[in-house]
Amino acid sequence: MPLITTIHESLPYIDPEPTPSERSAAEALIAAERSLHPDDPFHALLPPPLTPSSHMTPLLESEFDRIASHVQANPDGTQAPPPKLSALDLARYSSLPEIPSASELAGMDSSEATTLLSSLLGKAYTDHAYVAQRRAHLALLDAYGKNAWLIGNWQLEGELKAIEKELVEAKREIDLVTLQRKQAQDEVGPEILGLEDTWKKGVGRVLETEAAVEGLRRQVLEVRRGME
């Protein structure tokens, strides 16, 4: 496959438009040349495309398999969302542990009762910390969430404007290069046409000279045959 960075010189502002027969002949030559090389659907300068196996981990594969195995359709034909991941049991943070009654504690050994109460107290502390952090996060979201969302949109809008500005500048540079190319070709057009005409005349004179030389050679051969 030839390099895509190869530049084919052309003079679109000087060369005449090809006739339909000339275009058909050129396209036939191009098709014959392309048939010798298989088409590459990817750009020669781009890295090879990523395959799922190149970045898939066993954890991701298992999660995709879980989602695919629970795909269901709603009665209206739409696809139902997959079930939530049950790896984290959030019920332990939202439900209070069952505290044994005094009679139940009295029937236990003192060490066993102490261990049970310590475990329940630790879970209660964990639940309290989770609920407190959750309330704090909800309060922050309610107070500053809107401003953070607006600031994020403002930043994205600024990036979009910068990209659009770069696009406009790139299009302007392309237009300038096109105008410079047209101007350069228009300036050298008469010279190229003159050189082409001179070349054609030179080729014609060479042919005329070769024809004259061939005629003289035959005359010389006829003279030699007559002298013999």
Side-chain angles (χ1 to χ4, degrees):
M1 175 181 176
L3 291 177
I4 296 181
T5 53
T6 303
I7 299 176
H8 301 279
E9 297 293 343
S10 60
L11 302 173
Y13 303 104
I14 298 177
D15 293 337
E17 186 69 19
T19 60
S21 59
E22 293 175 346
R23 182 179 293 275
S24 299
E27 291 177 351
L29 291 175
I30 294 173
E33 182 68 19
R34 289 192 59 188
S35 63
L36 302 177
H37 304 279
D39 290 337
D40 188 357
F42 306 105
H43 196 287
L45 301 181
L46 293 177
L50 293 176
T51 57
S53 58
S54 62
H55 62 279
M56 289 289 291
T57 61
L59 183 60
L60 284 176
E61 291 179 356
S62 62
E63 177 62 15
F64 286 145
D65 293 339
R66 183 191 69 83
I67 295 175
S69 62
H70 291 83
V71 173
Q72 299 177 355
N74 293 324
D76 57 356
T78 60
Q79 184 175 349
K84 295 183 179 180
L85 184 64
S86 59
L88 298 177
D89 185 12
L90 301 180
R92 58 181 297 184
Y93 302 110
S94 58
S95 61
L96 295 176
E98 184 179 355
I99 302 176
S101 61
S103 59
E104 293 177 350
L105 291 176
M108 298 180 183
D109 188 13
S110 59
S111 59
E112 183 181 359
T114 302
T115 304
L116 178 60
L117 291 176
S118 299
S119 175
L120 293 176
L121 184 60
K123 292 181 180 179
Y125 281 143
T126 303
D127 294 343
H128 178 268
Y130 171 77
V131 173
Q133 292 294 328
R134 181 64 175 169
R135 290 185 61 186
H137 292 167
L138 290 176
L140 291 174
L141 182 63
D142 183 56
Y144 305 106
K146 180 180 179 181
N147 294 335
W149 178 73
L150 292 176
I151 292 174
N153 287 346
W154 174 74
Q155 292 176 346
L156 292 177
E157 184 179 358
E159 295 178 2
L160 177 60
K161 289 182 179 179
I163 295 175
E164 290 178 347
K165 182 179 179 182
E166 293 179 1
L167 177 61
V168 172
E169 293 178 354
K171 290 182 178 180
R172 181 175 177 275
E173 292 178 359
I174 293 174
D175 294 338
L176 291 177
V177 171
T178 303
L179 292 175
Q180 292 175 359
R181 183 184 185 188
K182 183 177 184 302
Q183 182 180 0
Q185 293 186 15
D186 290 339
E187 291 177 354
V188 300
E191 181 180 359
I192 292 179
L193 295 178
L195 292 175
E196 182 180 1
D197 185 62
T198 303
W199 174 78
K200 290 180 180 179
K201 291 180 179 179
V203 172
R205 291 173 183 174
V206 170
L207 294 177
E208 292 175 357
T209 302
E210 290 180 353
V213 169
E214 181 65 20
L216 288 176
R217 188 179 68 82
R218 291 183 179 181
Q219 292 179 5
V220 170
L221 291 176
E222 290 177 358
V223 170
R224 286 181 179 179
R225 290 173 182 173
M227 293 177 62
E228 293 177 356

